[in-house]
Amino acid sequence: MAFGFIKQKLVHQHELALYRRTKCVESQNAREVKIDGRTYLNFSSNDYLGLNNHADINKAMQEGADKFGTCASASSLITGYHYAHQSLENDICTWLNKPKCLLFSSGFAANQGVLDALGEKNTHYWLDKLSHASLIDGAFASEARTKRFLHNDMLQLDTLLSSSSDKDNIIVSEGVFSMDGDQANLRSISELATKHKALTYIDDAHSIGVKGISGEGSLSQAPLDMVMATFGKAIATSGAFVVCNNDIYEYLVNFSRHYIYSTAMSPAVAWATKASIKLAQKEHWRREKIIELSHLLSTELNDDIELIKTESSIHAIVLGSADKTLNTSEKLKEDGIWVTAIRPPTVANNSSRLRVTITASHNAKDIKHLANSINKAYF
Ligand SMILES: Cc1ncc(COP(=O)(O)O)c(C=O)c1O
């Protein structure tokens, strides 16, 4: 039967406890989520700083819509590049102390657009094994050669780069890893790049706003050639940016197909993003709260529960099987807690996990309730 694979693969997903479905969210903030008429404590939000729905950002969104409209109405190179975009790019360049910034409509598009454009025949991408799907897809869709090194294994990366016969090497990693929450060794990556005359490309989706004194993310820790970050997590809007030097900027504007052939991000959203970045820069208490509550979680959980050690909002408890993870997630729901079960292919086989995200909107009581429920559900 034609297209028989559609039914077959869906049935198989069910059998493997890997079937996915969307859930309609009735309302949510960085602390609570209402689904199917019930309100849960939300530990699955990427609104790390708790900025979504902030009055200043909503006001800027309205103002941006009034000034520039909700839609860019063209790609950036036609007539889609508005003052709102230019002004946002300038703010980001100043914030991160980089000469150039360009905007994309999502982080996925940015990663694909950059890696595809820079992935010429002589390019060799060296990707951390735990790199996000958009980085993997971008690298493999390009003409470059791509090799993945063991997660955070700087010795292996050094050896691989020493043996590379390609002249244009690019090291790709995430600042904070999306499913483990641990950090790349950015200093070593930067030093290896200098040693091997390679470039660095860091995905800061989970670092921007959260790491650095003013939320500058990975650039607060090491000099890096290119950094990409989505606005869809701590910055609480949508779209993404890439910062880089002048030459790379000009090259991407001319050769990145996602940049050239896609409608620019909404100018109203760009205007709102300016307001959001301003808050992220100055409201240090949001970052401090994440650190304080993360520490509390690690002290409240039973000693035999393995929590991946991190200094971010993301805290993974690896349970192994997809079944066990789903069951634990269901048990937490009975206690009014929402933690989504993360299963393959998002993570490797037998490493299904609860991915707990702690935001600036949680409080100590929430964390104690969460730890208590996990301690109970774990057995
Ligand atoms: C590490 C990482 N990179 C890129 C993306 C994609 O960003 P966006 O949601 O803006 O497409 C995500 C998540 O969604 C991510 O976790």
Side-chain angles (χ1 to χ4, degrees):
M1 187 186 61
F3 298 105
F5 72 89
I6 295 176
K7 271 248 151 51
Q8 259 169 29
K9 287 185 88 166
L10 288 174
V11 169
H12 197 49
Q13 283 290 93
H14 266 300
E15 287 165 359
L16 297 173
L18 296 180
Y19 194 82
R20 295 153 188 251
R21 52 168 63 86
T22 50
K23 280 266 171 213
C24 185
V25 167
E26 288 154 44
S27 67
Q28 89 164 306
N29 55 40
R31 181 172 173 266
E32 288 179 329
V33 60
K34 188 171 177 192
I35 294 174
D36 292 337
R38 181 167 179 197
T39 300
Y40 300 85
L41 268 180
N42 185 3
F43 288 102
S44 287
S45 170
N46 292 331
D47 179 12
Y48 303 132
L49 297 179
L51 286 175
N52 196 9
N53 246 320
H54 191 289
D56 290 6
I57 304 173
N58 289 358
K59 188 165 160 258
M61 179 78 108
Q62 181 65 57
E63 194 182 285
D66 292 343
K67 273 181 195 279
F68 310 103
T70 48
C71 181
S73 303
S75 64
S76 297
L77 295 178
I78 307 296
T79 55
Y81 184 69
H82 295 239
Y83 174 72
H85 300 114
Q86 188 185 49
S87 178
L88 172 60
E89 288 174 358
N90 289 342
D91 287 358
I92 293 170
C93 287
T94 307
W95 183 28
L96 303 185
N97 197 21
K98 292 295 272 183
K100 283 291 183 186
C101 173
L102 71 168
L103 304 174
F104 287 83
S105 48
S106 76
F108 208 105
N111 282 341
Q112 290 207 312
V114 175
L115 297 195
D116 182 46
L118 291 174
E120 288 273 294
K121 281 207 178 66
N122 284 329
T123 307
H124 202 141
Y125 284 122
W126 304 93
L127 262 71
D128 188 285
K129 187 92 181 158
L130 296 190
S131 295
H132 189 258
S134 52
L135 295 166
I136 295 169
D137 287 4
F140 279 103
S142 77
E143 290 186 54
R145 279 200 281 177
T146 299
K147 169 106 185 140
R148 295 163 76 188
F149 59 91
L150 294 173
H151 178 50
N152 271 342
D153 189 334
M154 296 295 108
L155 270 180
Q156 192 200 28
L157 178 59
D158 191 17
T159 310
L160 289 170
L161 283 166
S162 301
S163 68
S164 173
S165 53
D166 291 301
K167 60 179 191 322
D168 302 323
N169 293 288
I170 304 182
I171 305 170
V172 179
S173 184
E174 294 182 30
V176 164
F177 288 88
S178 56
M179 293 300 138
D180 286 45
D182 59 340
Q183 274 187 266
N185 188 339
L186 295 163
R187 284 233 178 101
S188 296
I189 285 178
S190 171
E191 283 163 14
L192 286 178
T194 307
K195 176 176 169 189
H196 296 284
K197 298 189 171 52
L199 290 178
T200 48
Y201 181 88
I202 301 297
D203 179 331
D204 251 3
H206 304 278
S207 319
I208 204 74
V210 176
K211 307 298 296 180
I213 303 275
S214 306
E216 317 89 311
S218 293
L219 280 161
S220 63
Q221 292 168 31
L224 301 162
D225 299 296
M226 292 169 273
V227 172
M228 185 298 296
T230 169
F231 300 128
K233 302 190 194 288
I235 304 301
T237 60
S238 70
F241 71 82
V242 175
V243 285
C244 55
N245 69 23
N246 274 300
D247 285 351
I248 294 174
Y249 169 84
E250 296 292 343
Y251 179 83
L252 292 174
V253 168
N254 281 277
F255 296 105
S256 172
R257 294 167 67 82
H258 275 273
Y259 189 75
I260 299 167
Y261 298 111
S262 183
T263 303
M265 71 182 276
S266 154
V269 174
W271 202 246
T273 304
K274 279 170 61 69
S276 179
I277 287 176
K278 221 174 263 161
L279 291 164
Q281 284 175 294
K282 68 175 187 208
E283 296 198 342
H284 306 290
W285 66 266
R286 295 179 187 272
R287 281 177 281 283
E288 286 157 14
K289 187 107 173 273
I290 292 168
I291 295 169
E292 179 195 313
L293 294 178
S294 296
H295 178 69
L296 181 62
L297 176 66
S298 66
T299 56
E300 291 286 319
L301 283 177
N302 284 347
D303 289 345
D304 53 349
I305 296 180
E306 240 183 273
L307 188 66
I308 296 178
K309 202 170 164 356
T310 77
E311 290 174 10
S312 68
S313 271
I314 303 165
H315 305 281
I317 300 165
V318 179
L319 298 176
S321 83
D323 256 341
K324 183 173 178 190
T325 311
L326 271 182
N327 287 339
T328 312
S329 168
E330 287 305 316
K331 279 191 210 161
L332 294 183
K333 270 184 210 151
E334 288 164 20
D335 278 352
I337 290 171
W338 194 277
V339 183
T340 307
I342 306 287
R343 297 161 287 161
T346 308
V347 291
N349 283 335
N350 299 319
S351 74
S352 291
R353 64 198 59 193
L354 297 174
R355 177 183 180 269
V356 173
T357 55
I358 292 179
T359 75
S361 299
H362 289 121
N363 60 45
K365 201 167 148 234
D366 300 337
I367 304 297
K368 285 183 183 167
H369 180 44
L370 169 71
N372 219 350
S373 297
I374 295 176
N375 289 341
K376 259 191 326 177
Y378 194 66
F379 296 101

